[in-house]
Amino acid sequence: MTHQKSEAKESPASSRGWRTLRENLILIAIALCLALLIRTFVAEPRYIPSDSMLPTLHKGDRLVVEKISSLFHPPQFGDIVVFQPPEELQHRGYPKDQAFIKRIIGTPGKKISVAGGKVYIDGQPIQEDYIAEPPILPMQERQVPPGEFFVMGDNRNDSNDSRYWGFLPKENIIGRAVFRFWPFDRIGVI
């Protein structure tokens, strides 16, 4: 009889242990689901693999890319966007899941050209204090089609961008770069 009493005393403690374990497993599952939902629909971290956005972004910078604002308004001139390569780049051998990052220069309906080291929108030169150096190669005027964008790297002379492969469809845009969290000495809003 004494033996049965000790088993009865261990059973509630054992039950509490299993209940705690089950609660912890549920919390972990919820946290993983929330993390997946946030990464898929709200924001995700990204790594800068090249120098095409110098001096704004450096190779190795780590950023937060937000995905919500595009639900409320289309990308704007000056936004730095992360995107999947359009078909032309895929035909050139870039995998569909390789992300690119560039600055939006032309929005739908705008006419973009490059001449004399300046970028022009609708015939007017734009002020670009964020570029590494003026673009060397000229580009004849091109009009941005509806639902597409013209993007360029800030390192104008070392950037694989819309000048070479065409316009960026809106549906290829993953999100907008908003915050640099690495390296710590350059942390901040982009």
Side-chain angles (χ1 to χ4, degrees):
M1 205 164 173
T2 308
H3 181 68
Q4 288 177 348
K5 284 184 180 180
S6 66
E7 283 181 345
K9 288 180 184 177
E10 290 176 10
S11 183
S14 175
S15 175
R16 270 185 259 127
W18 282 109
R19 190 176 321 126
T20 301
L21 177 62
R22 191 177 104 224
E23 287 173 2
N24 287 338
L25 289 173
I26 290 171
L27 286 173
I28 290 170
I30 291 170
L32 289 172
C33 288
L34 285 173
L36 181 62
L37 286 171
I38 289 169
R39 183 177 169 102
T40 303
F41 299 108
V42 179
E44 68 180 69
R46 286 289 177 162
Y47 169 82
I48 302 300
S50 75
D51 290 330
S52 73
M53 287 299 292
L54 282 172
T56 308
L57 301 172
H58 296 214
K59 187 175 184 177
D61 283 0
R62 286 172 173 75
L63 315 171
V64 173
V65 175
E66 67 84 17
K67 302 175 179 186
I68 297 287
S69 65
S70 63
L71 299 174
F72 303 106
H73 65 80
Q76 305 292 311
F77 168 82
D79 285 353
I80 296 174
V81 293
V82 173
F83 56 94
Q84 296 170 327
E87 284 186 35
E88 177 60 32
L89 282 173
Q90 292 177 42
H91 292 309
R92 294 181 187 187
Y94 291 93
K96 184 176 181 163
D97 62 347
Q98 179 179 346
F100 279 66
I101 185 164
K102 304 289 179 214
R103 185 181 298 272
I104 292 182
I105 300 300
T107 55
K110 297 293 184 180
K111 294 177 182 175
I112 311 299
S113 62
V114 179
K118 293 198 176 284
V119 176
Y120 292 82
I121 298 178
D122 292 335
Q124 298 298 313
I126 59 173
Q127 179 64 35
E128 298 187 292
D129 55 355
Y130 46 78
I131 63 173
E133 59 188 6
I136 294 170
L137 296 175
M139 182 192 81
Q140 290 184 350
E141 188 174 81
R142 300 179 195 170
Q143 186 166 13
V144 183
E148 298 190 10
F149 297 88
F150 188 90
V151 296
M152 296 175 81
D154 290 355
N155 191 357
R156 296 284 191 251
N157 298 313
D158 188 18
S159 177
N160 185 9
D161 55 38
S162 287
R163 294 172 290 173
Y164 306 106
W165 45 259
F167 301 106
L168 172 65
K170 183 178 190 274
E171 60 268 13
N172 287 50
I173 297 175
I174 295 168
R176 184 173 58 95
V178 292
F179 188 79
R180 178 183 12 245
F181 64 88
W182 181 264
F184 288 130
D185 63 336
R186 297 182 55 233
I187 197 167
V189 177
I190 297 173

